[in-house]
Amino acid sequence: MEDVRLRVESLNVSFPNGGELTRAVRGVSFTLGKEKLAIVGESGSGKSTIGRSLLRLLPRKAVVSAERLEFDGIDILKASEPEMRSIRGKRISMILQDPKFSLNPVMRIGDQIAEAYIAHAKVGKKLAEEKALHMLEKVQIREPGRAYRLYPHEVSGGMGQRAMIAMMMIAEPEIIIADEPTSALDVSVREQVLEVLRELVDRSGIGLIFISHDLNLVRHFCDRVLVMYSGKVLEEVEARRLDDARHPYTRGLLDSLPSLAHRRAHLPTLVRDPAWLA
Amino acid sequence: MNTPKLLAENLTLDFGKGAEAHRVLRDVGFSVADGESFGLVGESGSGKTTVLRCIAGQYKHWTGSIRMDGKVLPKELTKERCRQIQMVFQDPYGSLHPKKTIHSALMEPLAIHQVPGDREGKVAEALESVGLDREFRWRYPHQLSGGQRQRVAIARALILDPRVLLLDEPTSALDVSIQAEILNLLAELRKSRGLTYILVSHDLGVVAHLCERMAVMQAGAILETLEAASLADIEPKAAYTKTLLDASREYGKARGGA
Amino acid sequence: MTNKNRTTRSGKAGATRSGRSSEGRSEARRAEMRKTLAAILKNPLTVAGLAVIAFLLVVAALAPVLATHNPAAQNLSEALRAPGLGHLFGTDEFGRDVYSRLVYGSRITLYIICLVSVIVGPIGLIVGAVSGYLGGIVDTIMMRITDIFISFPSLVLALAFVAALGPGLEHAVIAIALTSWPSIARLARAETLSLRKADYIVAVELEGASKARVIFRHIMPMCMSSVIVRLTMNMAGIILTAAGLGFLGLGALPPAPEWGAMISSGRRYMLESWWLVAVPGAAILVVSLAFNLFGDGLRDALDPRLE
C-alpha cells in the first residue's frame, strides 16, 4: 500500500485499576493512508482509547506500548511534548461527539475559527476573519455571515458540529480522528454532516479515522472497517463487503439490529465467546 | 366494547408565558387499543417525549384530554393513576437513584402504595421476571452495566402491575447487542402480561420492531400515522417521514441482500 | 446477559452471599463505606488533617490525665513564667499553666464545633431541600430570609446576638449557628435544584410518592455528602468565630480556658510574654487548618463530580 501516513503495530494500552492492569487495547495493528477507516465496536471496546493514544491524549496513568506508532516518520511514543503540540490539531485533528463541549461557550463561533487560523497561519485578524467565513461556507452553513456571529449555545447540534469541522479543517490536517461525530445528531442532520466530512476528506486527500458504534452508518461512509471487541481487532473488512464478514461477533452485531424490511418477532442476541480474545 | 385503552385528544402545551410562550405540542391526538404497542417517532425537539410526560403526569399545564378506558384522566398524579401508568426512561444511568440499592429502588413503589404481603418476595420476583438474578438486589446502580440497569428500571416500572407502560427511548443509550436483548424482553413482557406500550424513539427500526402502529411527529404535531407492517414499501405523505424512512430502509436493503 | 468488567468482581462476592436480606444489605453498605474510606486515606494532607482532629479528640477526652495542673488554679508567685520544665508552655498573668489551659480548652472548642454543626446541618439541609424542591413562593420567602442572614457579616451578627442575650458559651453557640446555617441552606438548595428534574426523582414522583417522601428520602441523601463537606470546612470558620467572640469577651466566660479568650487576656503582656498569645494562636491555626484539609479530602472522596 502506498502513501501510508500512519502505521500502528501491536498497540497496547492498559489502565492501572486498584493494583491490577485493565487492558483497554490489546495488540492492535493498522495502517492509514488516504482513506476513510472505521473503527467500530461497542462501548468499552477500546475504540476511543486508540484515537486518543494516537494524539497522546490519554491520562498520564495509562500505560501505552507499541512495536510501532509512527506518523510521517515521527515516533509518536517517543516524540517530545513540543513536537506533539506541533502535530496535535495541526497535522492530526480530532472531532468529538458533542460540539457543545468542544467549542468555547463564551466566544462567537466565527471568532473561534478565525483564532484557530491566526494560531495556525500567523496572519492578521482581517484575513483570518475572511478565511473563517470561507470555511463556514465550505462546510455548507447556509448563512455564514450570520453563523459567524452566533455563540455555541445558539446553534443546533448539526451546525455546531459543522462549525467544529470547519475549525479542524482550517489547519489543513493530514489526518482527522472523528470520535462518534454524528451520534448526538438527528438522522436528517447526520446525513448533512457526513456529506461535508466526505467531501472534505475526498477532495483534500485526508486520512480519516472514523470511530463509531454504528455498523450500518460506517458501511456506507467508510472504505475499511476494523471491528473491535474488548480491546482487540477481531476482523478487518472492506466496508462495502460488510455483509460477507465472517467473524461471529460482526455477524451477531449486524443480526441484532431490528430492520424494516425483515421483521422478526425475536431478535437474535449475541453470544460472547471468550475464545475471541485468545 | 372497542374503547381504546388510551385516547389523547387535542393535546396542546406551551412552555413559558405571554410573549415568551413556546408551543411544544400542537393538537396532538391518537388512540391506542388495549394490548397494542404504539410508537411516536421524531427528532429531538419534535415533542415526542413531551407527549409521554403529559400522559405520565409529569406535566400538568397541558390542555386537551387524555382518556384511559374511556374515563378522563385527572391531571393530578393520583396513586390510582400511578398504578395504571408507569414509565421507563431513556438514560439507564440517570433513572436509578445512585445512593440506593436495587432493593430499595424496587421496594419504594411497594411502600408508597402500601402493597400488602411479602414485599421482599415481590422484589425478587420482579427481578427474575426481567431476567436478573435475585442477588442483584444488593447492588448499587454503579455496579451494574447499562443493560442490567435498564432491566432494573423495567422491573421497577412493572412492580405495581400497571396496564400501560410508557417507554422513552428505552434502548438508545445501549449498545446494539444489548438493545436486542431489551427489545426481546419488552416484547415478551407485553405478551405475557397483556401490556399496552407507548414507545418513543428516534430510531424507526426500533419502533417498527416493537409497535404495530406509529405516529411521526415534527415540531410538536403529528404528521401522519403509519402501520409498521407497511413501512417497507409504502410511500409516505410527508417529506420528513420519507427522510426518516430512507435512512432506515437503506440499512434494511443492505441486509436484505445478505 | 452481559457481565461487564466493572461488575464481575462484585459478581463473585454475590455468588457466595447468602440470601438473607439484612446480611446482603449491610454487606453492600460496608463495601461502599470501605471504598469511601480508601479514597479519603489516599491523600496524605487529608490524613494529616484527620490525624490532628483525632489528636484533638484524644486530648479532649483525656484532658484530666494529660493536664499537669488545674487549669483554673491561680498561683501569683508563678505568674508569667516562660515555657520551661515546670510549665511546658509557661504561665499566664495569674500563674495558671498555659499547657493545661490549652488541653482543657480543646473541650470547649470541640463542644462549640459539635453543637453548631448539629444545629446548623439539619436546619440548613431541610430549609435548602424544601425550598429548592417546592420552589415558587416557599422558595422565595425562604431564600429572602437566608439573604438577610447572609448579608450580615457573621461576626457582627453574632456580636449583636450575644450583646442582646448576654455573653456565655451557649449564647455564642447560638449566635454562630445563626450566622452559619444560610450557607448550608444555599448549598442544599443549589444541589436540590440540579436534582429536581433528574430522572430518578421524576421516577419516584411517578410512583406516587408524596412531596415529603421525595424530599426526605430521595433528595436529602443526595445533598448529604456536599453538606457534610461544607460543614467540615465551616468548622474551621466556626473555630475562628468562636475564638473571635472569646477574644472580644463575648464567648466563654472567664475563667473558662477558651482559646480565643486566652489570646485576648494575654495580649496585654504580649510583648514580654509571647507564649500567652502564640500558644493558643498556634492551636487555633493548626486545628482550623486540619478541618480545612480534612474537608478538602472529604470533598474529593464524596463528590462524584470531581472524578
Side-chain angles (χ1 to χ4, degrees):
Chain A
M1 198 186 301
E2 55 184 298
D3 203 22
V4 169
R5 306 262 178 81
L6 187 73
R7 274 178 209 283
V8 179
E9 274 171 41
S10 34
L11 172 69
N12 281 294
V13 182
S14 319
F15 293 99
N17 185 3
E20 296 164 49
L21 278 180
T22 309
R23 298 184 66 189
V25 177
R26 314 172 188 224
V28 167
S29 305
F30 63 90
T31 59
L32 180 75
K34 285 186 184 174
E35 59 178 330
K36 296 186 287 273
L37 173 71
I39 302 182
V40 174
E42 297 188 283
S43 52
S45 62
K47 54 188 194 298
S48 297
T49 311
I50 292 184
R52 282 164 190 276
S53 61
L54 295 180
L55 284 173
R56 280 223 325 242
L57 286 173
L58 291 171
R60 208 168 297 159
K61 61 176 185 175
V63 185
V64 186
S65 70
E67 270 168 34
R68 200 160 170 189
L69 192 62
E70 205 178 87
F71 165 66
D72 193 23
I74 303 166
D75 185 342
I76 291 182
L77 286 184
K78 294 210 184 76
S80 65
E81 202 40 46
E83 241 179 310
M84 277 318 288
R85 273 201 295 275
S86 72
I87 293 176
R88 249 181 244 139
K90 298 193 175 75
R91 303 186 65 192
I92 306 182
S93 290
M94 197 153 179
I95 303 172
L96 297 170
Q97 177 171 353
D98 199 335
K100 281 204 184 66
F101 297 117
S102 13
L103 289 168
N104 182 347
V106 294
M107 217 172 149
R108 292 176 202 280
I109 285 177
D111 289 339
Q112 292 190 44
I113 300 174
E115 191 166 87
Y117 190 60
I118 293 173
H120 171 67
K122 310 268 183 298
V123 294
K125 200 159 177 222
K126 193 91 208 254
L127 210 67
E129 281 177 12
E130 269 168 36
K131 178 82 176 172
L133 266 178
H134 178 65
M135 283 314 288
L136 284 173
E137 212 178 299
K138 223 167 146 186
V139 292
Q140 290 161 26
I141 286 177
R142 247 165 285 160
E143 295 170 72
R146 198 180 70 90
Y148 187 99
R149 289 187 304 274
L150 293 177
Y151 286 98
H153 69 268
E154 295 172 315
V155 303
S156 63
M159 203 201 271
Q161 199 60 298
R162 275 180 283 172
M164 202 61 217
I165 292 174
M167 205 153 101
M168 296 286 113
M169 295 304 297
I170 215 157
E172 293 163 356
E174 292 151 61
I175 292 179
I176 294 182
I177 301 169
D179 193 348
E180 305 261 10
T182 58
S183 312
L185 306 178
D186 284 321
V187 192
S188 52
V189 189
R190 188 165 70 191
E191 270 320 307
Q192 295 168 14
V193 171
L194 286 180
E195 199 44 54
V196 166
L197 211 55
R198 178 174 0 227
E199 209 186 301
L200 289 173
V201 167
D202 288 348
R203 201 190 303 152
S204 39
I206 290 172
L208 175 73
I209 298 182
F210 191 90
I211 298 169
S212 177
H213 68 280
D214 192 338
L215 270 173
N216 276 321
L217 183 112
V218 150
R219 134 178 21 224
H220 297 290
F221 183 69
C222 293
D223 304 317
R224 258 191 320 147
V225 183
L226 301 180
V227 181
M228 284 195 71
Y229 172 72
S230 271
K232 236 184 126 178
V233 174
L234 292 185
E235 191 171 25
E236 185 190 326
V237 276
E238 247 182 89
R240 237 172 296 121
R241 312 187 56 184
L242 201 58
D243 286 316
D244 303 335
R246 271 186 300 273
H247 199 283
Y249 178 68
T250 320
R251 296 222 60 86
L253 280 187
L254 282 170
D255 233 22
S256 58
L257 275 171
S259 121
L260 292 185
H262 178 203
R263 296 185 72 201
R264 297 158 289 183
H266 188 85
L267 292 169
T269 51
L270 202 59
V271 184
R272 285 151 213 267
D273 185 350
W276 294 346
L277 295 177
Chain B
M1 180 65 206
N2 273 338
T3 324
K5 189 75 194 167
L6 256 163
L7 176 68
E9 285 169 317
N10 304 326
L11 274 188
T12 299
L13 179 68
D14 292 329
F15 281 139
K17 282 200 182 94
E20 302 257 300
H22 171 58
R23 182 147 290 190
V24 284
L25 292 183
R26 303 159 201 269
D27 277 333
V28 172
F30 56 86
S31 79
V32 187
D34 194 10
E36 194 190 13
S37 184
F38 184 78
L40 290 169
V41 204
E43 307 208 323
S44 45
S46 63
K48 55 190 195 306
T49 297
T50 314
V51 172
L52 217 56
R53 292 188 180 234
C54 287
I55 299 172
Q58 194 191 345
Y59 298 142
K60 300 182 178 67
H61 54 291
W62 43 269
T63 57
S65 78
I66 302 176
R67 288 165 193 271
M68 186 165 176
D69 297 320
K71 279 177 292 196
V72 174
L73 268 187
K75 286 187 182 175
E76 285 69 44
L77 255 180
T78 58
K79 285 199 176 173
E80 174 56 29
R81 181 176 174 161
C82 297
R83 271 197 296 276
Q84 293 289 329
I85 305 177
Q86 276 295 319
M87 179 153 163
V88 176
F89 295 83
Q90 168 175 16
D91 177 13
Y93 291 86
S95 66
L96 296 174
H97 198 291
K99 298 218 164 165
K100 297 202 179 278
T101 55
I102 303 312
H103 176 82
S104 70
L106 293 180
M107 284 295 263
E108 194 66 7
L110 297 177
I112 292 168
H113 291 267
Q114 292 166 339
V115 174
D118 175 18
R119 290 185 194 166
E120 300 240 340
K122 282 206 168 72
V123 168
E125 223 173 85
L127 279 176
E128 275 160 11
S129 73
V130 295
L132 290 176
D133 191 277
R134 57 172 64 199
E135 284 307 325
F136 271 92
R137 66 191 195 281
W138 302 122
R139 303 247 183 113
Y140 284 92
H142 67 83
Q143 294 167 316
L144 304 181
S145 69
Q148 289 167 340
R149 286 179 199 220
Q150 203 57 302
R151 284 171 193 267
V152 171
I154 293 170
R156 175 180 63 186
L158 289 178
I159 204 161
L160 290 173
D161 212 11
R163 303 317 310 148
V164 177
L165 202 57
L166 308 173
L167 304 160
D168 182 9
E169 304 256 17
T171 62
S172 66
L174 305 173
D175 283 324
V176 283
S177 59
I178 312 296
Q179 164 171 296
E181 291 174 13
I182 298 292
L183 289 179
N184 285 340
L185 172 69
L186 286 170
E188 256 164 54
L189 286 170
R190 175 158 81 109
K191 213 163 135 195
S192 63
R193 296 181 175 223
L195 295 165
T196 305
Y197 284 170
I198 300 183
L199 171 74
V200 158
S201 179
H202 67 279
D203 187 335
L204 209 55
V206 167
V207 176
H209 178 75
L210 214 56
C211 302
E212 286 89 38
R213 287 186 313 129
M214 66 191 74
V216 180
M217 289 191 68
Q218 193 182 32
I222 290 186
L223 290 181
E224 58 187 313
T225 309
L226 305 166
E227 301 278 328
S230 66
L231 275 184
D233 38 55
I234 54 151
E235 222 21 73
K237 279 176 272 174
Y240 172 65
T241 317
K242 195 167 148 38
T243 323
L244 215 58
L245 261 175
D246 284 346
S248 314
R249 269 184 190 160
E250 212 172 346
Y251 299 169
K253 225 179 280 166
R255 203 195 355 268
Chain C
M1 177 189 326
T2 58
N3 233 347
K4 294 210 170 164
N5 287 342
R6 88 187 99 110
T7 62
T8 43
R9 220 179 338 147
S10 42
K12 260 178 247 155
T16 55
R17 220 180 269 155
S18 85
R20 289 310 311 145
S21 53
S22 59
E23 225 170 285
R25 187 191 330 240
S26 57
E27 182 160 337
R29 285 223 178 109
R30 268 203 304 276
E32 280 308 285
M33 274 163 71
R34 264 200 303 274
K35 225 180 67 193
T36 312
L37 202 67
I40 291 173
L41 295 180
K42 221 167 55 189
N43 184 345
L45 282 177
T46 316
V47 176
L50 188 61
V52 172
I53 294 167
F55 181 68
L56 185 73
L57 286 169
V58 170
V59 167
L62 301 179
V65 183
L66 291 172
T68 51
H69 296 74
N70 180 339
Q74 302 188 2
N75 182 353
L76 290 173
S77 63
E78 292 274 311
L80 294 175
R81 283 282 166 86
L85 273 184
H87 299 282
L88 202 53
F89 292 146
T91 61
D92 66 5
E93 71 273 28
F94 298 113
R96 293 175 297 194
D97 183 49
V98 172
Y99 165 72
S100 305
R101 288 179 68 75
L102 201 66
V103 166
Y104 273 95
S106 66
R107 289 187 162 183
I108 300 179
T109 303
L110 276 177
Y111 174 76
I112 295 176
I113 291 174
C114 293
L115 218 53
V116 171
S117 301
V118 164
I119 299 172
V120 162
I123 292 181
L125 191 58
I126 291 173
V127 169
V130 168
S131 79
Y133 182 70
L134 296 182
I137 187 82
V138 179
D139 185 38
T140 312
I141 292 173
M142 282 189 172
M143 280 306 112
R144 290 304 78 79
I145 295 174
T146 50
D147 278 345
I148 292 170
F149 277 100
I150 243 168
S151 56
F152 273 107
S154 62
L155 194 63
V156 174
L157 185 63
L159 264 177
F161 195 76
V162 174
L165 288 180
L169 201 54
E170 280 72 26
H171 295 166
V173 166
I174 296 172
I176 295 170
L178 212 56
T179 62
S180 48
W181 70 268
S183 68
I184 304 283
R186 279 287 183 84
L187 177 76
R189 175 175 176 268
E191 201 90 338
T192 307
L193 286 180
S194 70
L195 294 173
R196 196 168 59 165
K197 295 274 173 275
D199 281 351
Y200 57 87
I201 298 298
V202 175
V204 282
E205 285 170 357
L206 296 186
E207 280 162 16
S210 65
K211 287 191 164 67
R213 194 180 182 97
V214 174
I215 292 173
F216 284 93
R217 301 192 53 146
H218 297 273
I219 288 188
M220 280 196 189
M222 289 306 290
C223 302
M224 205 66 118
S225 49
S226 52
V227 165
I228 290 174
V229 169
R230 176 62 71 88
L231 270 181
T232 317
M233 305 268 239
N234 269 5
M235 284 177 187
I238 292 170
I239 293 169
L240 295 179
T241 313
L245 284 177
F247 182 81
L248 295 169
L250 296 168
L253 292 171
E258 202 273 322
W259 293 349
M262 283 167 74
I263 297 180
S264 167
S265 60
R267 101 200 122 151
R268 265 170 289 159
Y269 312 92
M270 190 168 71
L271 291 179
E272 315 81 83
S273 315
W274 54 268
W275 59 90
L276 288 186
V277 175
V279 170
I284 293 171
L285 172 78
V286 168
V287 171
S288 68
L289 181 66
F291 274 108
N292 262 331
L293 290 178
F294 181 61
D296 255 343
L298 213 54
R299 183 187 56 204
D300 292 349
L302 292 179
D303 197 340
R305 275 171 303 188
L306 287 172
E307 271 173 23

